[in-house]
Amino acid sequence: MLLPLCLMQGRLAAQTAEADSIDVLLYDITLDMSDTVERQVQGTAEITYVLTRNCSVVTFDLICDAVSPISLDGTVTRGFNYDRDNALLTVYGGGSAGDTHVVSIPYTTRGYVESYGWGGLHLDNTIYYNLGVAFAMYPHVFARAWMPCRDNFYDKASYRLTVTTKPGWRAICSGLRQWEEFDSNGSSRSSWWLEQPTPTYLVSVSAAPWQIIERQYESLYGTYPAMIGYMSRDRDQVNDKFDVLEDVLPAFERAFGPYRWDRVGYIATPMGSMEHASNIGLVDACIAVADDPCQMTTCHELGHAWFGNLVTCASEGDMWINEGGASFCEIVAKEAMSNRAAATQYYLDKLRMVLLTAHMKDDGYRALSGMSRFYTYGTTTYDKGALVWYSLRGLMGDSLFYDCMNKLFDRCAFGNIDAAALRDSLSLYSGMDLEGFFDFNVFTPGFVDYTVERLECEGNNATLTLRQRLRGTDHYAHGCRVPVTFFGSGNRQSDQWMTVDDSVATQTFALPFAAQYVMVDYHNLMVHAATHDVANLGGTGNYTLGNSYCNVYVGSDAAVPVNHSVKVTHHFVHPTGDTLEGVLRMANRYWEVHTAPYDPAISLRLMYNMGSNSSSGASGLDMGFYDNRSALDSLCVMYRRDARQPWQMVSRKRTASSSILTGYFTTHLMEGEYALAVVDTNLVGIAERPTATNAKLRLYPNPAQSQFKVEVEGCDKKFDLAVFDTSGKKVLNINGLNNGDTVRHNLPAGSYVVIIKNNYVSLQSQIIVQ
């Protein structure tokens, strides 16, 4: 019998709740928020709970100014103690496991906001509202700032909220509005019912001079009412801004299953955005704005309706499940709003920023699971968490992944889960072994980059060797599947998966063609320490490759072949290999380039950034590599054909931008690898590329029939040969030729361009085949 793994979490929650002695079933909260002069709120909380073990006392979390005599099961009792310093209300009088009790707690508060200035109950001149998370307090859940409660992730209950406001103000809270009445003086009183089991930190209460838009959203599983509260904004702009959910809500339901809450809701809050159940707090600056950052925030918070609100992390140490999941929802939303290409670029932007900055913002590389409470809401949790969810989708494929997520949210609805149970659940639903994936990506800090060590081809069989290169960790990935794409003539492609179980792995593939080169994760399916671009050169001009921190410039006299593509991978790991004497150090990153034949009129411009300039999204790109302005002339570009060749300096041509610490180097565009280095210029010189005037290529006989000889005057090194037809299509490729070798072929009659190249020459000539 297959059981949903969330049952394990049910036992986990039950064990924790048992240690805490009670399980709350209902919070019935009455709040008088009509006093905006003294800014004082009078509240009464009637809490229905069941004892989970025999006990003599029960406790509630609460920060308030005063607690009046409480009632237990309808009888006023003085058997309680309120310790404000520890935010703890103790009620004397327990019972036996299974007993149900109702405690009524009158209290007074003038609001309380954490020292960080974010979470808590804000009583401002124009609005009263709560934000349910405190960044600077522990535990971070923070409903205790406005109601007596069990302030944790796992004790979920239903809520009835009845709120009285001052004249001209109205309340908007979590749940469905049951009724609303107005006094003759214009004050309001309303009742809200949130039936779905919800942890206390996700419950919202607010009072303000709200303008309210009520609308509906048609989606896959029904029609959902929506309520949007705003102030001092144009009504049409607010309404139009939320049209985006007409596409996003169905996309989320396709991905994760039905929306389980009674309504969709947003209210404008002065600071911060918070995923309160059915009443999301959205920062006021975004309530009427439809630009991309605001829409992504809007979609992120809605994504919490599944990630966090429906299935909640079992502890703060696994907050990546909540926040990383909601950040992944931004990518899903981007695809629904635009297309898959836009969503992929959004992912790549996030990946680059994580690789550049997460370890700086979070004071080191950190594992997602078991996160320190000091970094619960850090960049690693949000953005690396999103990348890992994205990678799970890439590993499984869309159909299987979303099917598994639908099962997860259905079988674990209104429960809690941790990373281990999530791993086991998705493994069970998918039939895939995800232990290696979770061990490295979730339970281990840092990143891996899979680099091509060697590609050996014999006919259509390709033997690929990959090496793991690590960033921010000493642990290699084991039992992980890596997507690789082989390329052949005419840009033919074959997508494969390679299993990597050690620092170096080798696997042979039977392909439908002879491979010329291979790229790791060409389709951007997984998180690793590399990003890449493809530029299709259609003429002269500048081609920006933003994911790879470079651009390609095609001069007016360049002979660009038809359908000429340049593929650049930017590796966020230190380059390996032999270097020349005088190379002091190399940057902690490098480029890998796949391109068509060398053309001196096509140049490659490689970015460097040793400052804090973030206009190009490259802030900190070379931080710590070199920041001495007076010695920038020691910087240069190194090049090698592949990992089997030594590095050589090929350019010192540097152009600074507005800051001398940022700019780019210019060099020839060649097939191979590039890196930045600091060198002793007295010892290292430029390895100039010989031109056709230094070396000569002779093909004979010409015209030829089934074979011809290749002679290179002025170069005695091995070289690679490629033959292109008149359309620019590569029709023949031979590696490792020697001077004077014979080339045998079966090309049809016609005119062809023959190009030979190595680290020293790149020559071309024409041959006629009869």
Side-chain angles (χ1 to χ4, degrees):
M1 180 178 178
L2 297 180
L3 297 176
L5 269 295
C6 60
L7 291 180
M8 297 173 59
Q9 286 309 302
R11 289 194 291 273
L12 174 80
Q15 291 165 0
T16 310
E18 182 178 24
D20 288 344
S21 75
I22 69 173
D23 177 20
V24 176
L25 306 177
L26 171 67
Y27 291 95
D28 190 343
I29 310 293
T30 301
L31 297 172
D32 185 345
M33 308 183 86
S34 61
D35 184 353
T36 57
V37 176
E38 296 295 331
R39 296 187 188 178
Q40 180 171 278
V41 174
Q42 302 291 338
T44 299
E46 289 195 354
I47 305 173
T48 303
Y49 61 91
V50 60
L51 295 176
T52 57
R53 63 180 177 88
N54 298 341
C55 61
S56 58
V57 298
V58 295
T59 60
F60 298 95
D61 304 298
L62 177 63
I63 300 174
C64 69
D65 294 291
V67 177
S68 300
I70 68 174
S71 298
L72 183 61
D73 296 328
T75 301
V76 176
T77 176
R78 294 188 177 276
F80 72 92
N81 178 66
Y82 177 52
D83 180 357
R84 190 179 191 279
D85 291 338
N86 292 303
L88 194 64
L89 175 64
T90 302
V91 179
Y92 300 98
S96 302
D99 291 350
T100 299
H101 299 280
V102 178
V103 62
S104 179
I105 306 171
Y107 62 100
T108 303
T109 179
R110 287 183 169 82
Y112 187 89
V113 178
E114 61 162 324
S115 60
Y116 189 82
W118 202 85
L121 178 61
H122 297 255
L123 304 182
D124 298 338
N125 289 331
T126 57
I127 181 175
Y128 287 3
Y129 69 103
N130 77 297
L131 293 172
V133 164
F135 296 133
M137 298 189 72
Y138 184 79
H140 295 303
V141 288
F142 207 46
R144 60 191 180 277
W146 68 277
M147 60 179 284
C149 61
R150 305 294 297 188
D151 217 4
N152 54 49
F153 289 101
Y154 50 83
D155 196 349
K156 301 186 177 186
S158 299
Y159 299 80
R160 181 179 292 110
L161 304 171
T162 304
V163 181
T164 301
T165 71
K166 68 175 256 184
W169 285 29
R170 304 171 71 180
I172 304 180
C173 304
S174 288
L176 278 177
R177 184 174 59 195
Q178 302 299 294
W179 51 262
E180 184 176 25
E181 59 188 19
F182 296 89
D183 290 344
S184 57
N185 65 356
S187 63
S188 74
R189 188 166 180 264
S190 58
S191 181
W192 304 77
W193 172 242
L194 178 61
E195 182 177 12
Q196 292 84 0
T198 305
T200 54
Y201 80 100
L202 291 174
V203 179
S204 166
V205 62
S206 74
W210 291 121
Q211 301 294 313
I212 295 176
I213 294 174
E214 296 191 61
R215 58 184 294 177
Q216 293 181 330
Y217 290 104
E218 300 283 345
S219 195
L220 304 185
Y221 294 93
T223 301
Y224 303 107
M227 179 180 291
I228 302 162
Y230 66 98
M231 297 177 287
S232 304
R233 300 289 179 181
D234 180 84
R235 184 179 184 88
D236 290 339
Q237 288 182 347
V238 174
N239 196 42
D240 291 348
K241 176 256 178 16
F242 284 94
D243 285 348
V244 68
L245 299 189
E246 293 177 356
D247 294 324
V248 171
L249 183 54
F252 284 177
E253 288 202 318
R254 282 190 294 271
F256 312 121
Y259 182 78
R260 300 293 192 103
W261 310 92
D262 290 329
R263 71 174 173 92
V264 176
Y266 289 83
I267 56 171
T269 54
M271 66 168 61
S273 298
M274 174 70 199
E275 66 269 20
H276 299 125
S278 67
N279 200 44
I280 292 167
L282 185 65
V283 64
D284 182 67
C286 280
I287 200 72
V289 177
D291 65 7
D292 195 65
C294 284
Q295 294 297 52
M296 287 298 96
T297 300
T298 303
C299 297
H300 174 105
E301 302 304 341
L302 181 65
H304 276 299
W306 291 267
F307 292 89
N309 297 14
L310 183 58
V311 176
T312 312
C313 60
S315 72
E316 292 169 330
D318 274 318
M319 184 56 68
W320 75 275
I321 296 175
N322 293 18
E323 294 297 351
S327 296
F328 168 67
C329 286
E330 298 170 28
I331 302 173
V332 178
K334 176 64 73 172
E335 183 174 353
M337 295 161 57
S338 186
N339 53 46
R340 187 62 171 250
T344 299
Q345 186 57 55
Y346 191 82
Y347 152 76
L348 287 170
D349 291 341
K350 198 175 289 290
L351 173 59
R352 286 189 295 111
M353 289 301 98
V354 167
L355 292 171
L356 279 176
T357 67
H359 57 288
M360 292 189 287
K361 293 180 179 179
D362 292 345
D363 298 323
Y365 293 92
R366 300 188 177 277
L368 286 173
S369 186
M371 179 65 70
S372 163
R373 64 187 177 93
F374 298 106
Y375 303 96
T376 300
Y377 295 98
T379 301
T380 303
T381 292
Y382 280 76
D383 292 338
K384 186 182 179 183
L387 303 179
V388 168
W389 281 109
Y390 180 96
S391 296
L392 278 169
R393 185 184 70 173
L395 178 64
M396 294 182 183
D398 284 19
S399 179
L400 180 59
F401 173 75
Y402 288 132
D403 178 66
C404 290
M405 295 306 295
N406 271 257
K407 289 178 180 176
L408 180 79
F409 286 116
D410 177 57
R411 299 179 185 183
C412 301
F414 306 109
N416 298 76
I417 201 165
D418 63 15
L422 176 64
R423 173 199 62 204
D424 296 342
S425 295
L426 294 179
S427 296
L428 175 67
Y429 303 152
S430 66
M432 298 177 67
D433 183 357
L434 298 175
E435 184 172 358
F437 178 93
F438 271 76
D439 282 349
F440 187 84
N441 292 288
V442 175
F443 298 114
T444 300
F447 302 87
V448 63
D449 181 25
Y450 300 97
T451 60
V452 176
E453 185 86 356
R454 188 180 306 109
L455 176 63
E456 298 175 331
C457 300
E458 184 175 342
N460 289 1
N461 291 326
T463 300
L464 173 62
T465 300
L466 292 184
R467 178 177 295 277
Q468 292 190 49
R469 307 291 312 289
L470 302 179
R471 181 180 176 92
T473 181
D474 296 326
H475 301 280
Y476 290 103
H478 296 280
C480 290
R481 298 174 72 232
V482 180
V484 293
T485 299
F486 293 90
F487 293 87
S489 61
N491 206 32
R492 297 175 69 189
Q493 300 178 21
S494 178
D495 298 322
Q496 305 286 337
W497 286 91
M498 181 171 176
T499 300
V500 176
D501 201 37
D502 208 338
S503 59
V504 179
T506 300
Q507 186 172 329
T508 300
F509 301 85
L511 305 175
F513 53 79
Q516 295 176 342
Y517 63 93
V518 64
M519 291 183 66
V520 176
D521 195 26
Y522 176 68
H523 298 291
N524 298 301
L525 299 178
M526 57 176 250
V527 55
H528 60 130
T531 54
H532 74 261
D533 290 282
V534 178
N536 295 307
L537 308 185
T540 60
N542 190 60
Y543 296 82
T544 300
L545 284 71
N547 301 323
S548 303
Y549 304 105
C550 66
N551 58 64
V552 174
Y553 182 76
V554 180
S556 58
D557 55 344
V560 182
V562 176
N563 298 323
H564 175 55
S565 68
V566 177
K567 303 178 181 71
V568 181
T569 299
H570 182 269
H571 297 273
F572 288 83
V573 294
H574 195 277
T576 60
D578 298 329
T579 59
L580 301 174
E581 181 185 2
V583 176
L584 304 181
R585 61 181 176 275
M586 299 182 74
N588 198 32
R589 60 190 184 93
Y590 70 97
W591 294 266
E592 175 189 352
V593 177
H594 296 285
T595 183
Y598 165 74
D599 189 322
I602 303 178
S603 59
L604 179 64
R605 297 177 175 179
L606 303 171
M607 179 185 297
Y608 67 93
N609 189 316
M610 289 164 284
S612 58
N613 184 342
S614 60
S615 60
S616 60
S619 178
L621 184 63
D622 295 304
M623 193 71 70
F625 167 55
Y626 209 77
D627 53 12
N628 186 343
R629 296 173 183 235
S630 64
L632 286 173
D633 287 341
S634 298
L635 293 176
C636 70
V637 175
M638 308 294 287
Y639 168 81
R640 66 181 182 182
R641 177 66 178 80
D642 56 40
R644 294 168 293 184
Q645 304 296 325
W647 291 97
Q648 296 186 31
M649 184 168 69
V650 293
S651 177
R652 292 174 58 197
K653 185 180 179 181
R654 180 174 55 83
T655 302
S657 62
S658 57
S659 167
I660 194 172
L661 293 178
T662 65
Y664 59 85
F665 284 90
T666 301
T667 185
H668 296 296
L669 177 65
M670 299 178 287
E671 181 99 1
E673 297 176 354
Y674 296 83
L676 301 181
V678 176
V679 301
D680 182 342
T681 55
N682 293 319
L683 298 176
V684 181
I686 297 289
E688 294 289 354
R689 167 180 284 276
T691 66
T693 58
N694 307 119
K696 296 180 180 179
L697 170 63
R698 180 176 176 232
L699 309 173
Y700 67 93
N702 193 359
Q705 294 183 342
S706 61
Q707 63 185 40
F708 58 87
K709 282 185 175 292
V710 182
E711 287 189 354
V712 184
E713 182 181 329
C715 182
D716 60 357
K717 306 293 185 182
K718 286 182 178 291
F719 54 83
D720 299 336
L721 175 144
V723 179
F724 297 82
D725 63 18
T726 54
S727 72
K729 178 181 178 182
K730 185 185 290 187
V731 294
L732 182 63
N733 188 79
I734 303 175
N735 296 331
L737 288 176
N738 290 305
N739 195 0
D741 278 355
T742 296
V743 174
R744 295 175 175 82
H745 63 85
N746 57 358
L747 299 172
S751 176
Y752 297 89
V753 174
V754 177
I755 297 177
I756 69 153
K757 60 180 178 178
N758 55 23
N759 283 342
Y760 305 94
V761 298
S762 179
L763 305 173
Q764 71 179 48
S765 185
Q766 186 180 50
I767 193 165
I768 305 297
V769 175
Q770 294 180 330

